[in-house]
Amino acid sequence: MDLTLPITKTACLAADQDDPLHRFRDQFILPEGVNYLDGNSLGARPATSAQVATRVMEDEWGTGLIRSWNTAGWFELPGRLGNKLAGLLGAGDGEVVVTDTTSLNLFKALAAAVRIQKAADPARKVIVTERDNFPTDIYMAQGMVDFLDQGYSVRLIDHSLSLPDALGADVAVVALSHVNYRTGAMWDMAATSSAIHDAGALAVWDLAHSAGAVPVDLRGAGADFAVGCTYKYLNGGPGSPAFIWVSAAHQDRFWQPLSGWWGHARPFAMEDSYEPVSGIGRFLCGTQPILSMALVECGLDISLAAPMAQVREKSLALTDLFIALVEARRGDHELELITPMDHAQRGSHVSYVHPQGYPVMAALIARGIIGDYREPGVLRFGITPLYVGYMDVWNAVEALFDILDNKLWDTPEFLARLQVT
Amino acid sequence: MDLTLPITKTACLAADQDDPLHRFRDQFILPEGVNYLDGNSLGARPATSAQVATRVMEDEWGTGLIRSWNTAGWFELPGRLGNKLAGLLGAGDGEVVVTDTTSLNLFKALAAAVRIQKAADPARKVIVTERDNFPTDIYMAQGMVDFLDQGYSVRLIDHSLSLPDALGADVAVVALSHVNYRTGAMWDMAATSSAIHDAGALAVWDLAHSAGAVPVDLRGAGADFAVGCTYKYLNGGPGSPAFIWVSAAHQDRFWQPLSGWWGHARPFAMEDSYEPVSGIGRFLCGTQPILSMALVECGLDISLAAPMAQVREKSLALTDLFIALVEARRGDHELELITPMDHAQRGSHVSYVHPQGYPVMAALIARGIIGDYREPGVLRFGITPLYVGYMDVWNAVEALFDILDNKLWDTPEFLARLQVT
């Protein structure tokens, strides 16, 4: 839409009517009176999920019982869903599995990468990541090097521009979040992976805030490993299992230490020694939560039906609209945009810092405008183009300034509780 | 019931009528025409699960959306369910969490135990386990020592009697399955833990085939760590999250390397350095599959309502009955009982080896008698006293001998596919 000021409500209404993705809104169940701008934390519920849950509960668990491992394809779920997801990530068949959690999959990727480097150049003992990365990514790396206790360490960079300086001859692996959970800033995956490779290191990407939200081309970008989550922009359900992608070039080089029976070459032969299966299957570990996993397919199918070019175009239009509307009304409010203006560097959410960020977000949530709050002082608004429209953005910004202009955060809503990533 | 031969069908019918646990059968949904003797692989579906699934799907995910992390208590689920489960394990409040998979929890326990020993006596670098342990337990230990690459190793014992010989001054930790998945043989947890401690090692118990099936008293037995699964005798649903128990004495000594944000002292402060929360919470890692986890409560509540003394008494009566009925009809069939006759050494399933074990089990399953098959040649019959009765055992043995006497395994059912643990 045209962002020439003044932007009008009429223009937003018109943009919604012209929206080629408008039809996807009905594929989600969203409660009345809610303007949901937190799909980057927990995606909305796909309408088909009720039917799938009933099938898994009644037909598969209740009636099929143990037989469903075969007859309902439970064994194949991690790989089958992984192959579907591959279509959104620029990955190939047999390169992705849906399993475990993002934190655990990151551990697997880091461990495999460290092992590859240990064989190639044992002096490479540093894992580089960002201080502003989602904390669990830092903690998992710290837990690993601490456990290894062999001189490995984690090096935190404070700004994306300082990455080149951090890429010494001691670096084994660089683990970055493609889109930053706080600011929405996005790395250039291809250029960054290339720089990491030039420095002799391996590139691990966390796609938690990318998968389903922005174009991702893992193969084209020359990435080595990637992990991510299915419950944000992919709408898989609360805590639905995560995913891991491993470049076909690396899959069979070593295996990861969380070597459970699901990654064994012959899991039912009950052998007394681990032998990893060839391929991405060796990144599986134990038995997966089938009900939570089966629901991942509902959201995936919606995302696969929505052309990513349209999703990206609408995402940028909505974040642009949000930024323009705020800018037009900002006045003296201490509202600082921390999301990049450059489209190439922006994911699919918009974040502002405000000294009263916490109570301001609580006041928004109390009136049904659901974004979320992140320390320190960050108001975060997620844009899922499949179910967020132009009028949603208009209304959110209207409410935000009603709260700011009238200092409505100084109310009982002050005590409203935090939301989660 | 009286097991004096001949045992009659009438006596089995009477035993079912006198069964104080008979009322629990109606709390499960079991399909018509199925005699389910595989609850040690995947437990049956509790009747309340449909209502809980609908609540989580519609009210919590659909309507509550991100707010449900607080308003529906999603954050507290691992600890709240862990506290409930503690009642079945002889554990205290704040000692158990429900999370991740059994394989992963074993990795955490082994890693924490190895770390404690490293500080106390760095020469202890051996993890002892059984060659006949469930394979993933061996594989996880192998994956860990292989990754550490510091002289750690896994020592496999071939028979429980050889444990004392394996307990040298080099042993850091002993990881045993309380009830063997194949034979149903059960360790004396207290005596064995004591012997392990006398040898200067730590005891890690896998309760996959114990929790909800046999009396467990972790504190009383002086165990150090325990892990287990909720989808077998606890009827949590396919692949429902597992659990980990850590003796309060060890919880805060070190932390485990899968140190995700859920185990951080202040997960939402978004700090750039891992600081484990005090207590069992540090054995959490990442965001859990809420739907699969919420359903764990349905099965737990049933188990908590059933007195364990009655469960154990009926379990032994049913396994005794199974063994006696088979013995009475065995004749020349090559059917070898591999489950201990001694009650103190028996879990809650009965297993036989037969040269045609695989097709024999396939033929049983084809007529609705669902046990399972395990290499090599093992027919395994799980007894969940909450929903298995005396007539079920009678009918299963009748069917087994119909198949054996008439060589009915040599049929198209030969091709029926395998079941899973």
Side-chain angles (χ1 to χ4, degrees), chain A residues 43 45 61 69-70 115 118 131 136 139 142 146 148-150 259 261 271-272 274 289-290 418 420-421, chain B residues 43 57 61 69-70 115 118 131 136 139 142 146 148-150 238-239 259 261 271-272 274 418 420:
Chain A
R45 183 161 82 84
W61 180 15
W69 281 104
N70 294 300
R115 222 164 194 173
K118 187 173 179 178
R131 194 179 305 282
T136 208
Y139 304 160
Q142 289 173 337
D146 191 44
L148 278 174
D149 192 19
Q150 291 167 54
S259 49
W261 68 308
E271 297 171 9
D272 64 14
Y274 183 70
I290 294 298
L418 283 179
V420 74
T421 185
Chain B
M57 291 282 294
W61 179 16
W69 280 103
N70 294 300
R115 222 164 194 174
K118 187 173 179 178
R131 194 180 304 283
T136 207
Y139 304 158
Q142 289 173 336
D146 190 45
L148 278 173
D149 192 18
Q150 290 168 53
S259 50
W261 68 307
E271 297 171 8
D272 64 13
Y274 183 70
L418 281 180
V420 74

Side-chain angles (χ1 to χ4, degrees), chain B residues 120-132:
Chain B
D121 181 356
R124 293 187 174 272
K125 291 197 163 184
V126 173
I127 297 174
V128 171
T129 189
E130 293 177 278
R131 194 180 304 283
D132 192 31

Side-chain angles (χ1 to χ4, degrees), chain A residues 66 173 176 216:
Chain A
I66 192 66
V173 51
L176 300 170
V216 175

Side-chain angles (χ1 to χ4, degrees), chain A residues 16-361:
Chain A
D16 274 335
Q17 289 194 326
D18 292 344
D19 174 13
L21 296 176
H22 194 70
R23 65 197 165 96
F24 287 99
R25 172 68 186 74
D26 290 341
Q27 300 192 24
F28 295 90
I29 308 289
L30 280 160
E32 283 295 313
V34 160
N35 185 345
Y36 198 56
L37 303 173
D38 209 3
N40 56 338
S41 191
L42 172 62
R45 183 161 82 84
T48 52
S49 61
Q51 181 186 332
V52 172
T54 301
R55 187 194 76 213
V56 176
M57 291 283 293
E58 296 183 6
D59 303 344
E60 297 180 11
W61 180 15
T63 302
L65 288 159
I66 192 66
R67 298 169 290 196
S68 292
W69 281 104
N70 294 300
T71 56
W74 289 351
F75 279 128
E76 284 71 40
L77 263 181
R80 192 169 65 77
L81 296 179
N83 284 341
K84 280 199 171 191
L85 181 52
L88 293 170
L89 305 178
D93 257 23
E95 293 182 358
V96 182
V97 280
V98 173
T99 189
D100 294 330
T101 67
T102 309
S103 299
L104 290 164
N105 289 335
L106 184 70
F107 186 92
K108 299 172 192 171
L110 291 177
V114 159
R115 222 164 194 173
I116 288 171
Q117 293 286 27
K118 187 173 179 178
D121 181 355
R124 293 187 173 273
K125 292 196 163 186
V126 173
I127 297 174
V128 171
T129 187
E130 293 177 278
R131 194 179 305 282
D132 192 30
N133 202 342
F134 187 70
T136 208
D137 292 33
I138 303 174
Y139 304 160
M140 294 308 289
Q142 289 173 337
M144 198 181 83
V145 305
D146 191 44
F147 185 58
L148 278 174
D149 192 19
Q150 291 167 54
Y152 285 90
S153 65
V154 177
R155 181 177 299 158
L156 299 180
I157 59 171
D158 283 303
H159 191 278
S160 61
L161 296 178
S162 52
L163 179 59
D165 296 335
L167 293 176
D170 54 355
V171 176
V173 51
V174 180
L176 300 170
S177 283
H178 183 220
V179 173
N180 184 278
Y181 79 102
R182 225 168 43 83
T183 64
M186 183 167 71
W187 288 90
D188 179 330
M189 191 188 288
T192 310
S193 296
S194 177
I196 292 167
H197 290 164
D198 287 348
L202 293 168
V204 178
W205 292 96
D206 182 339
L207 307 179
H209 287 267
S210 310
V214 300
V216 175
D217 183 12
L218 288 166
R219 280 181 162 187
D224 298 297
F225 297 86
V227 301
C229 114
T230 65
Y231 55 74
K232 297 178 185 286
Y233 292 99
L234 294 173
N235 307 296
S240 57
F243 65 85
I244 181 166
W245 168 84
V246 180
S247 160
H250 297 313
Q251 284 177 4
D252 288 350
R253 292 179 71 180
F254 289 88
W255 62 89
Q256 51 86 19
L258 305 179
S259 49
W261 68 308
W262 274 58
H264 196 280
R266 293 167 298 278
F268 289 100
M270 305 291 171
E271 297 171 9
D272 64 14
S273 185
Y274 183 70
E275 183 188 320
V277 67
S278 178
I280 190 68
R282 63 176 61 185
F283 287 81
L284 297 175
C285 178
T287 305
Q288 294 298 299
I290 294 298
L291 185 52
S292 285
M293 182 175 283
L295 294 179
V296 169
E297 191 158 20
C298 305
L300 267 185
D301 284 343
I302 300 176
S303 281
L304 286 166
M308 178 48 78
Q310 288 179 11
V311 169
R312 178 61 172 163
E313 186 182 5
K314 182 176 171 188
S315 163
L316 289 170
L318 289 173
T319 51
D320 275 346
L321 173 64
F322 202 114
I323 293 166
L325 287 171
V326 168
E327 193 54 33
R329 296 188 53 169
R330 188 155 62 103
D332 292 336
H333 291 296
E334 295 178 78
L335 206 56
E336 180 201 352
L337 177 69
I338 58 171
T339 301
M341 287 298 296
D342 180 355
H343 283 183
Q345 294 178 39
R346 191 192 304 164
S348 197
H349 67 268
V350 183
S351 297
Y352 293 88
V353 171
H354 187 277
Q356 299 294 331
Y358 177 67
V360 167
M361 182 51 74

